[in-house]
Amino acid sequence: MELWFTEYTNKTSGITIKIKRQLDHRVSEFQTIDVFETHYYGNLMVIDGYIMLTEFDEFVYHENLTHVPAQFLQNPEKALIIGGGDGGTARELLKYPSIKKIDMIEIDREVCEVSKLYFKNLSVSFKDPRLNLHYEDGAKFVKNRTESYDLIVIDSTDPVGPGEVLFTEEFYNNCSKILKTGGILTAQTESPFDKEYINPIRQIYKNLRKSFNYVSMYLGHIPTYPFGTWSFAFASNWVDPLKSEIKNSYLPEGLRYYNRELGKSIFTLPNFVKEIIDE
Ligand code: AG3
């Protein structure tokens, strides 16, 4: 018998992956989590029917969310991750010896548990004493926080369900207040090829511009996400990535996506994408 998983990107298209076997299925307080072993993509994590990551291409997403901002900072010491329960974002940030402390705020403990079982390459980060895991609502956490961070990384699900609050004006404003001078925020912001997301993306960038002086978008190639092209937001009150130089003297070895030439030029966007976010 053949088993296939499909994420429907809309009513007439989707991404279909042949499955070897299902490794896990659980319904948490917040969402449904499935894990599959695939033939081509390694293990695959799905939340509420949406592909969260595969072992094959998770490096693109996690390196983009972290090294792109971290390379613009001289000595990032304190980072905040909102979401990121699989541990991939933390794994990348922990590659910097300058990082002394990461607070990671994941609403759903089950995501971390599943990662510990089936995504050991990502959940290795949970063993690092610099990582402090909090099972809390990220939006509430940033609202009540007074401690500040050099780097805030929003590693969320899509803006539907529990992830929705993580794209609002109020949330971004609270994040901006807890960035240290010179600090940078990055976030995943969906595919610019997705017609259903053009307006939401436009709104996300409008929301960001209300709280940050410099807001830019950059793109990455992620074959297992809808439309294969993914966008990320870079926001700061101090760093304009279009004018600023790479400041970090340290670059982790062995990265598979990020390099400094790419990190500087990645903000150059195709016309149809510029049109979505231009004011
Ligand atoms: N965060 C989810 C990105 C959105 C994917 N959307 C989709 N497949 N419709 C991934 C978490 C990885 N740390």
Side-chain angles (χ1 to χ4, degrees):
M1 189 182 64
E2 293 200 349
L3 288 174
W4 296 80
F5 166 80
T6 299
E7 170 177 341
Y8 292 96
T9 34
N10 53 50
K11 288 206 174 82
T12 56
S13 59
I15 309 159
T16 299
I17 297 177
K18 190 169 178 184
I19 300 304
K20 266 193 196 163
R21 60 195 175 113
Q22 178 145 21
L23 298 172
D24 208 317
H25 167 80
R26 44 181 99 183
V27 181
S28 75
E29 198 185 323
F30 304 98
Q31 49 209 356
T32 302
I33 307 167
D34 288 288
V35 182
F36 303 101
E37 187 184 334
T38 73
H39 295 267
Y40 194 91
Y41 300 99
N43 288 353
L44 155 69
M45 188 196 293
V46 173
I47 293 186
D48 287 343
Y50 301 116
I51 295 176
M52 288 297 113
L53 64 100
T54 77
E55 289 179 311
F56 171 74
D57 58 4
E58 57 84 11
F59 71 98
V60 183
Y61 179 90
H62 293 121
E63 288 189 20
N64 265 306
L65 266 181
T66 54
H67 301 298
V68 172
Q71 286 297 307
F72 280 104
L73 298 170
Q74 218 159 29
N75 254 329
E77 291 186 351
K78 278 176 61 189
L80 173 65
I81 299 170
I82 303 292
D86 49 70
T89 294
R91 178 195 65 202
E92 293 307 315
L93 291 178
L94 289 166
K95 289 180 179 168
Y96 290 86
S98 69
I99 288 283
K100 293 198 173 115
K101 182 186 176 201
I102 300 178
D103 283 323
M104 184 164 115
I105 321 303
E106 167 59 55
I107 200 167
D108 194 346
R109 179 188 291 265
E110 294 298 325
V111 176
C112 302
E113 294 306 323
V114 158
S115 187
K116 280 187 212 159
L117 291 174
Y118 308 106
F119 298 91
K120 296 209 160 55
N121 206 2
L122 288 85
S123 50
V124 284
S125 55
F126 299 160
K127 295 187 195 129
D128 193 306
R130 293 174 291 166
L131 179 69
N132 302 284
L133 244 165
H134 310 251
Y135 297 113
E136 278 175 54
D137 178 326
K140 284 195 191 130
F141 182 92
V142 297
K143 194 172 180 175
N144 304 323
R145 202 67 179 169
T146 46
E147 203 179 324
S148 54
Y149 300 91
D150 300 298
L151 197 49
I152 301 180
V153 179
I154 326 261
D155 181 3
S156 70
T157 51
D158 295 341
V160 285
E164 202 177 338
V165 285
L166 305 180
F167 295 86
T168 60
E169 189 184 330
E170 191 196 347
F171 173 69
Y172 293 140
N173 190 33
N174 289 331
C175 286
S176 145
K177 286 186 195 147
I178 56 166
L179 267 184
K180 278 191 188 170
T181 303
I184 300 169
L185 171 144
T186 51
Q188 77 85 359
T189 56
E190 304 300 316
S191 176
F193 280 110
D194 195 331
K195 289 184 192 169
E196 281 170 33
Y197 273 108
I198 290 180
N199 284 328
I201 292 174
R202 187 169 283 134
Q203 190 58 49
I204 291 167
Y205 283 77
K206 274 191 186 149
N207 292 347
L208 280 166
R209 288 196 185 101
K210 286 181 194 145
S211 299
F212 295 95
N213 292 334
Y214 304 109
V215 176
S216 299
M217 181 197 264
Y218 56 104
L219 301 174
H221 311 284
I222 310 183
T224 63
Y225 279 179
F227 302 96
T229 297
W230 212 249
S231 73
F232 303 89
F234 181 112
S236 176
N237 285 317
W238 304 273
V239 185
D240 178 357
L242 298 167
K243 301 212 176 89
S244 195
E245 288 302 314
I246 299 286
K247 293 222 177 70
N248 205 321
S249 54
Y250 183 81
L251 179 67
E253 275 174 27
L255 301 183
R256 294 179 63 207
Y257 196 88
Y258 183 91
N259 58 58
R260 286 189 171 143
E261 298 70 50
L262 181 73
K264 278 197 277 188
S265 60
I266 203 165
F267 299 95
T268 307
L269 297 173
N271 292 344
F272 82 98
V273 182
K274 276 166 84 171
E275 272 162 28
I276 301 175
I277 59 161
D278 274 354
E279 283 145 299

